[in-house]
Amino acid sequence: MAPRRPLQPQSEGPPLIGWPEWYAREAGTIKQGDHILFVGPTQSGKTVLCRKVVRLRDYCVVFGTKPVDASLDAYVNEGYTRIDHWPPVKKDYQNQPEGQARFILWPKMKERADLRRYRDVYAKALEQIFIEGRWAVVADEGLWIASRKGLNLETELGDVAYGGASNKVSLYLLAQRQANVGPVAWTSVSQALVFHMGRTDDVRDLASLGTYPPAEAVKVIQRLRGHQFLDLPCRGGVEWAVSEVVM
C-alpha cells in the first residue's frame, strides 16, 4: 500500500456563512492567548467586528488614541470604564461585572501633542499586561500606536505579539494596512480577519499568512464587498470562511 499523503487544504474557495453561524464558530474556536489581526479600510467594519469578538474575553483593555471617535464611544456604551492611567485602581472596578474587567485606556485629548504625553502610560500598560497575563489588548489604531509619529510602540507591540501568548495575553490588532504596524506584530497572529483591500502588495502579504494557497486567498480578498470579511486561519486545524459583520 502506498503511504498516505498528508491532507491539503481545499482549494475550491471558502464557504459563505451567515453572521450568527460565524460568531458561534468563533466562540467555539478562539482561545485566550490567540492573537487576531483585523485589517481593512476605514468604514469597512473592522472596529465593529473587533468589538463583538472581544466580548468573548473577560479581561479586556482597549487602547484609544483619537480625540473623538464614535466607534470607541460604543465601547463605553457597552459598559467599558474609560481611564487615563494604568494599572486600574480600586474605584475603576466599581461598575464592572463580577469576574470581568473591561477598560478603555483613552485619555482625553485636546491637541495632537496630548497623545505623545501619554505614551508612557500606554507603554506601562503593555509591559505590565505582558507580565500579568490573561488580558486581551485591543490596539484600535495600530498605525498610531506603532508609528514614530504616534506613540512609537512598535517594539512593545511586537514583544506582546511574539511572547505574550505563552502568558495567555491576546492581542487584537486593527490596521488599515498591516505594513504600518511592524512585521513582528502582524505576522504573529493565529487568525486574520480581512476586509476588501486595494493594494496588491498588502493583499499578497496577507494571503501568505494563511494555511490556504496564497493565490486562492488573494482572489477571495479581492472579491469581498461591503462589510464582508475573510476569516483566514494562520494555524492548522481551522477552516477558512467568508462572512459579513452585522453593523
Side-chain angles (χ1 to χ4, degrees), residues 24-178:
R25 188 181 86 157
E26 184 75 354
T29 58
I30 189 175
K31 301 185 299 295
Q32 184 65 36
D34 288 346
H35 303 322
I36 305 177
L37 175 66
F38 302 78
V39 61
T42 300
Q43 303 298 322
S44 59
K46 61 181 179 295
T47 300
V48 175
L49 178 58
C50 180
R51 180 164 49 84
K52 296 186 176 188
V53 170
V54 81
R55 291 173 184 168
L56 301 172
R57 305 269 66 85
D58 291 328
Y59 293 87
C60 317
V61 56
V62 180
F63 284 10
T65 60
K66 298 177 182 177
V68 179
D69 192 333
S71 63
L72 294 182
D73 288 334
Y75 282 103
V76 178
N77 295 336
E78 282 196 9
Y80 283 68
T81 300
R82 182 173 181 174
I83 58 177
D84 61 2
H85 51 271
W86 196 268
V89 296
K90 185 176 180 180
K91 68 179 182 64
D92 296 329
Y93 288 90
Q94 288 179 354
N95 296 323
Q96 297 290 331
E98 185 176 355
Q100 294 184 350
R102 299 183 183 277
F103 298 104
I104 178 166
L105 182 56
W106 189 18
K108 294 184 178 180
M109 304 173 196
K110 296 182 179 180
E111 55 187 43
R112 289 181 62 188
D114 289 343
L115 173 65
R116 295 168 185 83
R117 279 197 285 268
Y118 283 101
R119 179 194 181 278
D120 289 346
V121 176
Y122 294 99
K124 182 179 180 181
L126 287 174
E127 180 178 356
Q128 292 191 354
I129 287 169
F130 183 88
I131 300 301
E132 184 176 345
R134 298 195 174 275
W135 283 89
V137 179
V138 176
D140 182 74
E141 185 48 71
L143 169 61
W144 275 106
I145 295 173
S147 171
R148 292 182 180 179
K149 295 181 179 180
L151 295 176
N152 194 21
L153 293 172
E154 178 181 324
T155 299
E156 288 81 355
L157 272 182
D159 288 346
V160 171
Y162 183 73
S166 62
N167 206 20
K168 303 300 182 182
V169 176
S170 293
L171 177 63
Y172 294 172
L173 181 61
L174 289 78
Q176 295 181 37
R177 294 185 60 213
Q178 75 281 359

Side-chain angles (χ1 to χ4, degrees), residues 10-31:
Q10 297 294 319
S11 60
E12 65 267 17
L16 179 64
I17 61 178
W19 170 256
E21 180 183 350
W22 180 85
Y23 194 72
R25 188 181 86 157
E26 184 75 354
T29 58
I30 189 175
K31 301 185 299 295

Side-chain angles (χ1 to χ4, degrees), residues 217-230:
V218 167
K219 294 177 183 178
V220 175
I221 294 170
Q222 292 176 333
R223 290 197 300 262
L224 296 171
R225 292 295 180 268
H227 301 304
Q228 288 183 330
F229 61 92
L230 170 64

Side-chain angles (χ1 to χ4, degrees), residues 178-209:
Q178 75 281 359
N180 290 333
V181 298
V184 175
W186 69 267
T187 59
S188 298
V189 299
S190 57
Q191 180 183 21
L193 303 178
V194 186
F195 294 81
H196 177 78
M197 301 286 289
R199 291 180 59 108
T200 303
D201 53 342
D202 287 343
V203 174
R204 285 198 297 260
D205 288 344
L206 288 166
S208 68
L209 277 178

